[in-house]
Amino acid sequence: MGAIYLLRHGQASFGSNNYDQLSATGHAQARVLGRALQARGVQPDVLISGSMQRHQETAAGALAELGLPPETPLIEHAGVNEFDHENVIEVAEPRYADKLVMMSEMAATGDPRRSFQKFFQDAVSRWVGGNHDDEYQEPWSVFKLRCVTALDDLVRQTPPKGTTLVFTSGGTISVICAHLLGLNDSQAFTINWTLANAGIPKVLSGRAGLHLVSINEHAHLEGCEPPMLTYR
């Protein structure tokens, strides 16, 4: 059977001018991820990354730890990109198109990360609900179809007994896992909220179809010093 590892990126830079770049913790998580894959004896036949900066920085850090040369081909696949979270936020609250306004209001609560998470969950629920599709650049239904179509492409590119590493995002992973588990739309993002940065979901592909054998492996991030387990 072929193996497809859907590797979530390391922690991005919440609150910075460029969210898409990895934080210092995110870079460290990428290296820990690479060492975890090496310890498993993973020898990838196909390497795929979304086109986002955080995907490619995670790939660079992990693959260096795997001992692969820098010139190793890394296929860019926009189909595994994350949804546009900024658009989802701004549709839910247009004032938050100004990030300073959003961060100021979140900071005023005394716990900006928790406040943002609550707001973001509500914004995502509105998007997933499908009652306002014309307001979004990429409606939920379109995003979901993109992710499932990308999965089909990943399966085609994975050799029958080979291994594919895919550097992607939590939203994409959640949709693919929900699809394989037969979950409905409202259940899909319950997966997303608990996915660890640099976690390791795994899908097996064979004659009998696709089998989701893990969703959120993250033992390699536990017990690290400094702490490495993050979710956002």
Side-chain angles (χ1 to χ4, degrees), residues 77-99:
H77 195 320
V80 301
N81 282 356
E82 184 63 286
F83 65 93
D84 187 342
H85 75 280
E86 292 185 344
N87 179 244
V88 170
I89 288 171
E90 291 165 13
V91 169
E93 178 46 81
R95 292 185 303 109
Y96 288 172
D98 185 334
K99 292 182 181 178

Side-chain angles (χ1 to χ4, degrees), residues 29-81:
Q29 288 169 333
R31 296 189 292 271
V32 171
L33 172 61
R35 292 195 291 272
L37 294 171
Q38 183 184 51
R40 291 168 176 239
V42 172
Q43 297 181 337
D45 300 285
V46 181
L47 300 173
I48 294 175
S49 170
S51 60
M52 294 176 152
Q53 182 178 348
R54 58 190 183 272
H55 300 155
Q56 297 182 5
E57 289 181 347
T58 302
L63 297 180
E65 293 295 330
L66 267 175
L68 300 181
E71 64 272 15
T72 302
L74 180 65
I75 301 168
E76 187 174 298
H77 195 320
V80 301
N81 282 356

